[in-house]
Amino acid sequence: MLKAFTSLQLHWQILIALVLAVFAGLLSGVDAALFGVSFYSVYDFTGTLFLNALKMLIVPLIISSIIVGIMGIGSGENLSRLGGKTLLYYAVTSFLAIVTGLVIVNLTMPGIIDGQPIKELIGLADVPQAVTDKVEGKGAGDIVAVFLRMVPPNIVFAAANGQMLGLIFFSLLFGFFVTKLTGREADVMKSFWQAVLDVMMHMTNWVMKFAPLGVFALVAKVVAVSGIDVFIPLAVFFLTVVAALLVHFLVTMSLILRFVAKVNPWLHYRVMTSALLTAFSTSSSSATLPLTMECVEHKAGVSNRVTSFTLPLGATVNMDGTALYECVAAMFIAQAYGLDLTLTTQFTIVLVALLTSIGVAGIPSASLVAISIILGAIGLPLEGVGLILAVDRVLDMLRTAVNVFSDSVAAVVIARLEGEKDILQG
Ligand code: ASP
Protein backbone atom coordinates (compact mmCIF):
# COMPACT_ATOMS: atom_id res chain seq x y z
CA MET A 1 0.00 0.00 0.00
CA LEU A 2 2.75 2.41 1.03
CA LYS A 3 4.71 1.39 -2.04
CA ALA A 4 1.73 2.08 -4.30
CA PHE A 5 1.32 5.49 -2.64
CA THR A 6 4.96 6.52 -3.02
CA SER A 7 4.98 5.45 -6.64
CA LEU A 8 2.30 8.05 -7.44
CA GLN A 9 3.41 11.44 -8.75
CA LEU A 10 4.22 13.88 -5.96
CA HIS A 11 1.24 16.16 -6.54
CA TRP A 12 -1.16 13.21 -6.30
CA GLN A 13 0.48 12.14 -3.08
CA ILE A 14 0.09 15.65 -1.67
CA LEU A 15 -3.52 15.90 -2.81
CA ILE A 16 -4.46 12.60 -1.19
CA ALA A 17 -2.67 13.68 2.01
CA LEU A 18 -4.65 16.90 1.96
CA VAL A 19 -8.03 15.18 1.69
CA LEU A 20 -7.12 12.67 4.41
CA ALA A 21 -5.97 15.55 6.61
CA VAL A 22 -9.39 17.21 6.48
CA PHE A 23 -11.02 14.02 7.79
CA ALA A 24 -8.30 13.42 10.36
CA GLY A 25 -8.54 17.00 11.65
CA LEU A 26 -12.34 16.88 11.88
CA LEU A 27 -12.32 13.51 13.62
CA SER A 28 -9.61 14.24 16.13
CA GLY A 29 -10.30 17.90 16.93
CA VAL A 30 -7.80 19.31 19.41
CA ASP A 31 -8.54 16.95 22.28
CA ALA A 32 -8.51 13.35 21.00
CA ALA A 33 -5.51 11.42 22.24
CA LEU A 34 -3.97 7.98 22.04
CA PHE A 35 -1.92 6.69 24.99
CA GLY A 36 -1.96 10.17 26.45
CA VAL A 37 -0.50 11.82 23.33
CA SER A 38 -2.93 14.14 21.57
CA PHE A 39 -3.24 13.84 17.80
CA TYR A 40 -3.04 17.60 17.66
CA SER A 41 0.46 17.62 19.18
CA VAL A 42 1.56 15.00 16.64
CA TYR A 43 0.22 17.17 13.78
CA ASP A 44 1.92 20.17 15.31
CA PHE A 45 5.27 18.43 15.72
CA THR A 46 5.33 16.88 12.25
CA GLY A 47 4.11 20.04 10.54
CA THR A 48 6.67 22.21 12.29
CA LEU A 49 9.43 19.77 11.41
CA PHE A 50 8.49 19.96 7.74
CA LEU A 51 8.22 23.76 7.80
CA ASN A 52 11.60 24.00 9.52
CA ALA A 53 13.16 21.81 6.85
CA LEU A 54 11.79 24.06 4.12
CA LYS A 55 12.85 27.23 5.89
CA MET A 56 16.32 25.80 6.43
CA LEU A 57 16.80 25.84 2.66
CA ILE A 58 15.71 29.40 2.05
CA VAL A 59 18.74 31.52 2.90
CA PRO A 60 21.38 29.55 0.95
CA LEU A 61 18.87 29.00 -1.86
CA ILE A 62 18.03 32.70 -2.25
CA ILE A 63 21.67 33.77 -2.10
CA SER A 64 23.01 31.18 -4.53
CA SER A 65 20.11 31.42 -6.96
CA ILE A 66 20.23 35.19 -7.21
CA ILE A 67 24.00 35.27 -7.59
CA VAL A 68 23.88 32.60 -10.31
CA GLY A 69 20.97 34.38 -11.96
CA ILE A 70 22.74 37.73 -12.05
CA MET A 71 25.95 36.13 -13.31
CA GLY A 72 23.89 34.65 -16.14
CA ILE A 73 22.24 37.96 -16.98
CA GLY A 74 25.65 39.54 -17.27
CA SER A 75 25.75 43.22 -18.17
CA GLY A 76 24.08 46.01 -16.24
CA GLU A 77 22.01 46.82 -19.30
CA ASN A 78 20.51 43.31 -19.46
CA LEU A 79 19.87 43.42 -15.74
CA SER A 80 17.96 46.68 -15.81
CA ARG A 81 15.88 45.48 -18.78
CA LEU A 82 14.95 42.26 -17.00
CA GLY A 83 14.43 44.05 -13.69
CA GLY A 84 12.22 46.65 -15.34
CA LYS A 85 9.98 44.05 -16.96
CA THR A 86 9.76 42.05 -13.74
CA LEU A 87 8.79 45.02 -11.58
CA LEU A 88 6.25 46.16 -14.16
CA TYR A 89 4.66 42.70 -14.12
CA TYR A 90 4.53 42.71 -10.31
CA ALA A 91 2.92 46.14 -10.16
CA VAL A 92 0.35 45.46 -12.89
CA THR A 93 -0.79 42.06 -11.59
CA SER A 94 -1.01 43.22 -7.97
CA PHE A 95 -3.10 46.18 -9.12
CA LEU A 96 -5.39 43.94 -11.19
CA ALA A 97 -5.81 41.65 -8.18
CA ILE A 98 -6.77 44.54 -5.91
CA VAL A 99 -9.27 45.91 -8.41
CA THR A 100 -10.82 42.44 -8.77
CA GLY A 101 -11.24 42.30 -5.00
CA LEU A 102 -12.62 45.83 -4.85
CA VAL A 103 -15.25 45.21 -7.52
CA ILE A 104 -16.42 41.94 -6.00
CA VAL A 105 -16.56 43.25 -2.42
CA ASN A 106 -18.61 46.22 -3.63
CA LEU A 107 -21.04 43.80 -5.25
CA THR A 108 -21.41 41.35 -2.36
CA MET A 109 -21.14 43.84 0.54
CA PRO A 110 -20.23 41.16 3.12
CA GLY A 111 -20.04 43.70 5.97
CA ILE A 112 -23.70 44.67 5.68
CA ILE A 113 -26.65 42.40 6.33
CA ASP A 114 -30.23 43.69 5.79
CA GLY A 115 -28.89 47.22 5.48
CA GLN A 116 -27.16 47.01 8.88
CA PRO A 117 -23.39 46.99 9.45
CA ILE A 118 -22.68 43.57 10.95
CA LYS A 119 -20.28 44.62 13.68
CA GLU A 120 -23.05 44.34 16.29
CA LEU A 121 -24.48 41.17 14.80
CA ILE A 122 -21.40 39.00 14.94
CA GLY A 123 -19.56 40.78 17.72
CA LEU A 124 -15.83 41.19 17.68
CA ALA A 125 -13.72 38.16 18.42
CA ASP A 126 -11.19 38.92 21.14
CA VAL A 127 -7.98 39.84 19.42
CA PRO A 128 -5.32 37.57 20.95
CA GLN A 129 -2.43 39.37 22.63
CA ALA A 130 0.06 37.97 20.10
CA VAL A 131 -1.85 39.63 17.26
CA THR A 132 -2.23 42.90 19.14
CA ASP A 133 1.50 42.97 19.83
CA LYS A 134 2.18 42.40 16.17
CA VAL A 135 -0.15 45.05 14.81
CA GLU A 136 -0.15 47.70 17.55
CA GLY A 137 1.05 51.13 16.56
CA LYS A 138 1.61 50.24 12.91
CA GLY A 139 1.32 53.12 10.49
CA ALA A 140 2.61 54.61 7.29
CA GLY A 141 6.09 54.76 8.85
CA ASP A 142 6.23 50.99 8.68
CA ILE A 143 6.08 51.08 4.92
CA VAL A 144 9.09 53.40 4.92
CA ALA A 145 10.85 51.02 7.33
CA VAL A 146 10.41 48.20 4.83
CA PHE A 147 12.35 50.17 2.25
CA LEU A 148 15.02 51.01 4.84
CA ARG A 149 15.51 47.32 5.53
CA MET A 150 16.28 46.80 1.86
CA VAL A 151 19.80 47.94 2.65
CA PRO A 152 20.57 45.92 5.77
CA PRO A 153 23.33 47.18 8.04
CA ASN A 154 24.15 43.59 8.90
CA ILE A 155 23.62 40.88 6.31
CA VAL A 156 23.82 38.05 8.85
CA PHE A 157 21.17 39.70 11.02
CA ALA A 158 18.93 40.16 7.96
CA ALA A 159 19.29 36.48 7.08
CA ALA A 160 18.65 35.34 10.63
CA ASN A 161 15.56 37.51 10.96
CA GLY A 162 13.90 36.61 7.70
CA GLN A 163 14.46 40.07 6.18
CA MET A 164 14.49 38.70 2.68
CA LEU A 165 14.52 42.04 0.86
CA GLY A 166 17.87 42.86 2.46
CA LEU A 167 19.25 39.48 1.52
CA ILE A 168 18.04 39.84 -2.04
CA PHE A 169 19.57 43.28 -2.38
CA PHE A 170 22.93 42.08 -1.09
CA SER A 171 22.89 39.04 -3.38
CA LEU A 172 21.97 41.18 -6.38
CA LEU A 173 24.95 43.44 -5.71
CA PHE A 174 27.27 40.49 -5.06
CA GLY A 175 26.22 38.77 -8.27
CA PHE A 176 26.65 41.98 -10.20
CA PHE A 177 30.18 42.51 -8.96
CA VAL A 178 31.13 38.90 -9.63
CA THR A 179 30.57 39.75 -13.29
CA LYS A 180 33.36 42.34 -12.96
CA LEU A 181 35.92 39.66 -12.09
CA THR A 182 38.09 38.14 -14.79
CA GLY A 183 40.25 35.05 -15.32
CA ARG A 184 40.67 32.43 -12.61
CA GLU A 185 38.81 34.43 -9.95
CA ALA A 186 35.77 34.69 -12.18
CA ASP A 187 35.84 30.95 -12.90
CA VAL A 188 36.17 30.02 -9.23
CA MET A 189 33.25 32.24 -8.24
CA LYS A 190 31.04 31.00 -11.05
CA SER A 191 31.60 27.32 -10.44
CA PHE A 192 31.36 27.73 -6.68
CA TRP A 193 27.96 29.44 -6.69
CA GLN A 194 26.60 27.17 -9.41
CA ALA A 195 27.63 24.17 -7.29
CA VAL A 196 25.99 25.62 -4.18
CA LEU A 197 22.79 26.15 -6.15
CA ASP A 198 22.88 22.59 -7.52
CA VAL A 199 23.32 21.17 -4.04
CA MET A 200 20.43 23.29 -2.76
CA MET A 201 18.16 22.02 -5.53
CA HIS A 202 19.05 18.42 -4.66
CA MET A 203 18.32 19.13 -1.01
CA THR A 204 14.97 20.64 -2.01
CA ASN A 205 14.07 17.50 -3.92
CA TRP A 206 14.92 15.43 -0.92
CA VAL A 207 12.89 17.54 1.52
CA MET A 208 9.95 17.48 -0.88
CA LYS A 209 9.76 13.71 -0.59
CA PHE A 210 8.33 14.38 2.86
CA ALA A 211 5.81 16.91 1.56
CA PRO A 212 2.78 14.58 1.72
CA LEU A 213 3.47 13.91 5.38
CA GLY A 214 4.16 17.59 6.14
CA VAL A 215 1.07 18.72 4.27
CA PHE A 216 -1.06 16.15 6.06
CA ALA A 217 0.11 17.38 9.44
CA LEU A 218 -0.20 21.09 8.65
CA VAL A 219 -3.69 20.83 7.20
CA ALA A 220 -4.98 18.44 9.89
CA LYS A 221 -3.76 20.92 12.49
CA VAL A 222 -5.68 23.81 10.93
CA VAL A 223 -8.85 21.77 10.52
CA ALA A 224 -8.59 20.43 14.08
CA VAL A 225 -8.48 23.96 15.46
CA SER A 226 -10.94 25.77 13.21
CA GLY A 227 -13.54 23.06 12.61
CA ILE A 228 -16.34 24.06 10.27
CA ASP A 229 -18.50 26.22 12.57
CA VAL A 230 -16.31 29.32 12.42
CA PHE A 231 -17.18 29.84 8.78
CA ILE A 232 -20.90 30.26 9.21
CA PRO A 233 -21.19 33.89 10.45
CA LEU A 234 -18.46 35.00 8.07
CA ALA A 235 -19.67 32.97 5.12
CA VAL A 236 -20.30 35.91 2.81
CA PHE A 237 -16.91 37.44 3.53
CA PHE A 238 -15.23 34.07 3.11
CA LEU A 239 -16.94 33.40 -0.20
CA THR A 240 -16.21 36.93 -1.44
CA VAL A 241 -12.49 36.42 -0.88
CA VAL A 242 -12.60 32.96 -2.44
CA ALA A 243 -14.50 34.24 -5.50
CA ALA A 244 -12.12 37.15 -6.02
CA LEU A 245 -9.06 34.93 -5.61
CA LEU A 246 -10.53 32.45 -8.09
CA VAL A 247 -11.19 35.15 -10.67
CA HIS A 248 -7.59 36.32 -10.39
CA PHE A 249 -6.16 32.81 -10.35
CA LEU A 250 -8.24 31.33 -13.14
CA VAL A 251 -9.19 34.26 -15.37
CA THR A 252 -6.59 37.02 -15.07
CA MET A 253 -3.63 34.67 -14.80
CA SER A 254 -4.69 32.45 -17.67
CA LEU A 255 -5.36 35.48 -19.90
CA ILE A 256 -1.84 36.69 -19.13
CA LEU A 257 -0.39 33.25 -19.86
CA ARG A 258 -2.35 32.98 -23.10
CA PHE A 259 -1.97 36.48 -24.50
CA VAL A 260 1.22 37.90 -23.00
CA ALA A 261 3.33 34.77 -22.56
CA LYS A 262 1.55 33.00 -25.46
CA VAL A 263 1.66 29.58 -23.83
CA ASN A 264 -1.03 27.04 -23.00
CA PRO A 265 -2.30 28.12 -19.53
CA TRP A 266 -3.59 24.65 -18.71
CA LEU A 267 -0.10 23.17 -18.95
CA HIS A 268 1.21 25.74 -16.54
CA TYR A 269 -1.49 25.01 -13.95
CA ARG A 270 -0.57 21.36 -14.27
CA VAL A 271 3.16 21.71 -13.78
CA MET A 272 2.66 23.99 -10.78
CA THR A 273 0.35 21.64 -8.86
CA SER A 274 2.84 20.46 -6.22
CA ALA A 275 4.04 24.00 -5.52
CA LEU A 276 0.46 25.25 -5.25
CA LEU A 277 -0.51 22.51 -2.82
CA THR A 278 2.58 23.18 -0.74
CA ALA A 279 1.83 26.91 -0.69
CA PHE A 280 -1.70 26.07 0.38
CA SER A 281 -0.56 23.87 3.23
CA THR A 282 2.33 25.95 4.50
CA SER A 283 0.71 29.40 4.03
CA SER A 284 4.16 30.69 3.28
CA SER A 285 5.49 31.86 -0.09
CA SER A 286 9.02 31.88 1.29
CA ALA A 287 8.85 28.32 2.56
CA THR A 288 7.41 27.24 -0.81
CA LEU A 289 10.15 29.00 -2.79
CA PRO A 290 12.40 25.94 -3.18
CA LEU A 291 9.55 24.03 -4.72
CA THR A 292 8.35 26.93 -6.87
CA MET A 293 11.83 27.12 -8.36
CA GLU A 294 11.92 23.40 -8.95
CA CYS A 295 8.55 23.39 -10.75
CA VAL A 296 9.16 26.50 -12.86
CA GLU A 297 12.67 25.53 -13.89
CA HIS A 298 12.45 21.79 -14.28
CA LYS A 299 8.83 21.25 -15.22
CA ALA A 300 7.86 24.45 -17.05
CA GLY A 301 11.31 24.72 -18.62
CA VAL A 302 12.11 28.36 -17.79
CA SER A 303 15.84 29.08 -17.84
CA ASN A 304 17.77 29.31 -14.61
CA ARG A 305 18.79 32.82 -15.62
CA VAL A 306 15.16 34.02 -15.34
CA THR A 307 13.88 31.84 -12.48
CA SER A 308 16.75 32.60 -10.19
CA PHE A 309 16.12 36.31 -10.55
CA THR A 310 12.32 36.54 -10.67
CA LEU A 311 11.24 33.87 -8.18
CA PRO A 312 13.13 34.83 -4.99
CA LEU A 313 12.23 38.46 -5.66
CA GLY A 314 8.61 37.53 -6.39
CA ALA A 315 8.27 35.41 -3.23
CA THR A 316 9.08 38.52 -1.27
CA VAL A 317 7.58 41.46 -3.14
CA ASN A 318 4.91 40.10 -5.49
CA MET A 319 1.84 39.07 -3.56
CA ASP A 320 -1.30 39.30 -5.66
CA GLY A 321 -3.41 37.15 -3.35
CA THR A 322 -2.30 39.12 -0.33
CA ALA A 323 -2.95 42.50 -1.98
CA LEU A 324 -6.42 41.34 -3.00
CA TYR A 325 -7.15 39.98 0.46
CA GLU A 326 -5.97 43.14 2.19
CA CYS A 327 -8.33 45.18 0.06
CA VAL A 328 -11.36 42.92 0.58
CA ALA A 329 -10.68 42.55 4.31
CA ALA A 330 -10.26 46.28 4.86
CA MET A 331 -13.43 47.01 2.88
CA PHE A 332 -15.29 44.35 4.85
CA ILE A 333 -14.19 45.75 8.20
CA ALA A 334 -15.02 49.28 7.07
CA GLN A 335 -18.48 48.14 5.97
CA ALA A 336 -18.96 46.25 9.23
CA TYR A 337 -18.16 49.41 11.18
CA GLY A 338 -20.62 51.37 9.08
CA LEU A 339 -17.89 53.62 7.67
CA ASP A 340 -18.92 55.81 4.76
CA LEU A 341 -16.95 54.33 1.87
CA THR A 342 -16.24 57.38 -0.25
CA LEU A 343 -14.11 57.16 -3.35
CA THR A 344 -11.21 58.72 -1.44
CA THR A 345 -11.42 56.01 1.23
CA GLN A 346 -11.51 53.29 -1.39
CA PHE A 347 -8.60 54.85 -3.22
CA THR A 348 -6.61 54.97 0.02
CA ILE A 349 -7.36 51.29 0.59
CA VAL A 350 -6.17 50.38 -2.92
CA LEU A 351 -3.00 52.40 -2.62
CA VAL A 352 -2.01 51.19 0.83
CA ALA A 353 -2.86 47.59 -0.10
CA LEU A 354 -0.56 47.87 -3.11
CA LEU A 355 2.30 49.33 -1.11
CA THR A 356 2.00 47.09 1.92
CA SER A 357 1.71 43.91 -0.16
CA ILE A 358 5.29 44.61 -1.26
CA GLY A 359 6.49 44.72 2.32
CA VAL A 360 4.47 41.78 3.66
CA ALA A 361 6.76 38.88 4.47
CA GLY A 362 6.05 35.52 2.84
CA ILE A 363 5.06 33.91 6.13
CA PRO A 364 1.71 32.81 7.60
CA SER A 365 -0.72 35.57 8.63
CA ALA A 366 1.63 38.32 7.57
CA SER A 367 -1.28 40.23 6.00
CA LEU A 368 -2.81 40.97 9.38
CA VAL A 369 -0.15 43.59 10.02
CA ALA A 370 -0.77 45.16 6.61
CA ILE A 371 -4.52 45.20 7.21
CA SER A 372 -4.02 47.03 10.48
CA ILE A 373 -1.93 49.62 8.62
CA ILE A 374 -4.83 50.12 6.20
CA LEU A 375 -7.31 50.39 9.07
CA GLY A 376 -5.11 53.08 10.60
CA ALA A 377 -4.95 54.93 7.27
CA ILE A 378 -8.74 55.07 6.95
CA GLY A 379 -9.29 55.88 10.61
CA LEU A 380 -10.57 52.61 12.05
CA PRO A 381 -9.36 50.98 15.29
CA LEU A 382 -7.08 47.99 14.95
CA GLU A 383 -9.53 45.78 16.89
CA GLY A 384 -11.29 45.57 13.54
CA VAL A 385 -8.81 42.83 12.68
CA GLY A 386 -10.67 40.69 15.24
CA LEU A 387 -13.60 40.43 12.83
CA ILE A 388 -11.69 38.32 10.36
CA LEU A 389 -9.44 36.24 12.62
CA ALA A 390 -11.66 33.16 12.64
CA VAL A 391 -11.36 32.60 8.93
CA ASP A 392 -7.97 34.17 8.32
CA ARG A 393 -6.03 30.93 8.59
CA VAL A 394 -7.84 29.17 5.78
CA LEU A 395 -7.94 32.26 3.58
CA ASP A 396 -4.19 32.56 4.18
CA MET A 397 -3.73 29.14 2.59
CA LEU A 398 -5.66 30.20 -0.47
CA ARG A 399 -4.06 33.60 -0.95
CA THR A 400 -0.58 32.13 -0.53
CA ALA A 401 -1.28 29.71 -3.38
CA VAL A 402 -2.31 32.68 -5.54
CA ASN A 403 0.84 34.58 -4.50
CA VAL A 404 3.03 31.68 -5.55
CA PHE A 405 1.18 31.13 -8.80
CA SER A 406 1.56 34.75 -9.82
CA ASP A 407 5.32 34.54 -9.19
CA SER A 408 5.53 31.50 -11.40
CA VAL A 409 3.55 33.25 -14.14
CA ALA A 410 5.98 36.18 -13.85
CA ALA A 411 8.86 33.83 -14.59
CA VAL A 412 7.09 32.41 -17.65
CA VAL A 413 6.09 35.85 -18.97
CA ILE A 414 9.55 37.35 -18.52
CA ALA A 415 11.24 34.32 -20.07
CA ARG A 416 8.94 34.51 -23.10
CA LEU A 417 9.51 38.25 -23.45
CA GLU A 418 13.24 37.49 -23.33
CA GLY A 419 12.75 35.18 -26.31
CA GLU A 420 12.87 31.76 -24.60
CA LYS A 421 11.12 29.16 -26.75
CA ASP A 422 11.15 25.83 -24.91
CA ILE A 423 8.64 26.70 -22.23
CA LEU A 424 5.65 24.49 -21.39
CA GLN A 425 6.09 22.32 -24.40
CA GLY A 426 3.76 19.58 -23.09
N1 ASP B 1 1.02 33.96 3.96
C1 ASP B 1 1.20 34.84 2.85
C2 ASP B 1 2.39 34.39 2.03
O1 ASP B 1 3.32 33.81 2.52
C3 ASP B 1 1.35 36.27 3.26
C4 ASP B 1 0.03 36.74 3.83
O2 ASP B 1 -0.82 37.20 3.02
O3 ASP B 1 -0.20 36.67 5.03
O4 ASP B 1 2.42 34.58 0.85
Side-chain angles (χ1 to χ4, degrees):
M1 176 112 159
L2 189 67
K3 197 138 197 240
F5 181 75
T6 47
S7 62
L8 289 172
Q9 279 181 321
L10 186 64
H11 60 266
W12 286 116
Q13 293 181 25
I14 301 180
L15 203 65
I16 294 171
L18 210 136
V19 175
L20 291 178
V22 174
F23 289 110
L26 283 177
L27 282 178
S28 71
V30 269
D31 300 321
L34 193 66
F35 307 124
V37 181
S38 73
F39 285 99
Y40 178 81
S41 61
V42 176
Y43 304 152
D44 190 31
F45 175 81
T46 318
T48 311
L49 204 60
F50 177 61
L51 263 184
N52 283 357
L54 280 176
K55 288 183 189 161
M56 165 183 92
L57 305 174
I58 297 173
V59 170
L61 185 66
I62 287 196
I63 298 180
S64 59
S65 77
I66 293 193
I67 293 176
V68 170
I70 299 295
M71 289 182 329
I73 294 168
S75 72
E77 197 183 306
N78 281 344
L79 179 60
S80 49
R81 192 189 61 238
L82 203 73
K85 284 180 195 165
T86 309
L87 294 182
L88 184 69
Y89 170 93
Y90 293 163
V92 171
T93 55
S94 299
F95 182 72
L96 288 176
I98 296 178
V99 172
T100 308
L102 190 69
V103 170
I104 296 186
V105 77
N106 270 308
L107 290 176
T108 59
M109 294 293 232
I112 299 190
I113 290 181
D114 296 334
Q116 291 296 321
I118 63 167
K119 180 171 167 268
E120 264 80 58
L121 276 175
I122 61 174
L124 279 178
D126 277 339
V127 185
Q129 190 60 33
V131 176
T132 324
D133 289 348
K134 226 160 106 186
V135 300
E136 190 119 61
K138 297 283 174 191
D142 292 276
I143 304 177
V144 179
V146 166
F147 291 101
L148 259 188
R149 279 202 300 271
M150 264 174 83
V151 187
N154 181 337
I155 183 71
V156 179
F157 180 87
N161 287 281
Q163 295 175 0
M164 292 309 154
L165 272 183
L167 210 58
I168 290 174
F169 180 71
F170 178 83
S171 311
L172 283 173
L173 273 187
F174 192 97
F176 180 72
F177 284 103
V178 168
T179 62
K180 304 282 170 216
L181 297 178
T182 51
R184 206 180 99 79
E185 286 175 334
D187 295 340
V188 169
M189 270 293 150
K190 285 185 180 154
S191 17
F192 173 76
W193 287 108
Q194 184 64 55
V196 174
L197 180 60
D198 291 348
V199 173
M200 291 316 301
M201 293 311 273
H202 286 306
M203 282 176 76
T204 302
N205 277 331
W206 181 74
V207 170
M208 282 321 293
K209 293 206 165 73
F210 300 94
L213 195 62
V215 164
F216 174 83
L218 290 167
V219 174
K221 185 180 151 194
V222 174
V223 176
V225 176
S226 328
I228 303 257
D229 305 347
V230 297
F231 297 103
I232 296 164
L234 290 166
V236 184
F237 168 65
F238 186 83
L239 292 177
T240 303
V241 177
V242 173
L245 285 174
L246 276 179
V247 169
H248 190 71
F249 178 70
L250 293 175
V251 182
T252 314
M253 287 288 121
S254 55
L255 288 176
I256 292 177
L257 282 166
R258 166 77 68 208
F259 295 106
V260 185
K262 301 201 169 58
V263 293
N264 180 348
W266 167 240
L267 286 180
H268 191 58
Y269 287 101
R270 233 180 50 196
V271 300
M272 289 306 295
T273 317
S274 337
L276 290 175
L277 292 173
T278 308
F280 178 80
S281 329
T282 58
S283 294
S284 168
S285 320
S286 297
T288 314
L289 179 64
L291 195 67
T292 318
M293 295 187 65
E294 159 75 23
C295 289
V296 175
E297 203 174 313
H298 294 130
K299 295 194 186 145
V302 175
S303 69
N304 176 263
R305 171 177 170 268
V306 172
T307 49
S308 52
F309 176 71
T310 50
L311 293 178
L313 198 63
T316 315
V317 302
N318 181 44
M319 301 216 172
D320 293 5
T322 294
L324 181 156
Y325 178 68
E326 284 178 27
C327 172
V328 176
M331 287 288 293
F332 166 69
I333 297 168
Q335 288 168 1
Y337 270 86
L339 191 79
D340 188 16
L341 284 163
T342 58
L343 270 184
T344 329
T345 313
Q346 303 208 17
F347 179 73
T348 312
I349 294 179
V350 170
L351 193 71
V352 185
L354 193 62
L355 283 176
T356 47
S357 73
I358 300 173
V360 166
I363 54 173
S365 296
S367 299
L368 292 180
V369 176
I371 292 168
S372 68
I373 295 179
I374 304 183
L375 294 184
I378 57 174
L380 284 176
L382 71 87
E383 287 83 47
V385 173
L387 282 171
I388 55 170
L389 282 186
V391 287
D392 182 69
R393 191 68 186 81
V394 176
L395 292 176
D396 197 3
M397 300 166 108
L398 294 168
R399 66 184 184 255
T400 307
V402 174
N403 289 344
V404 165
F405 193 68
S406 173
D407 297 341
S408 74
V409 173
V412 171
V413 167
I414 308 298
R416 294 286 291 160
L417 294 178
E418 288 284 299
E420 290 185 21
K421 298 217 163 51
D422 307 324
I423 296 175
L424 295 166
Q425 292 304 310

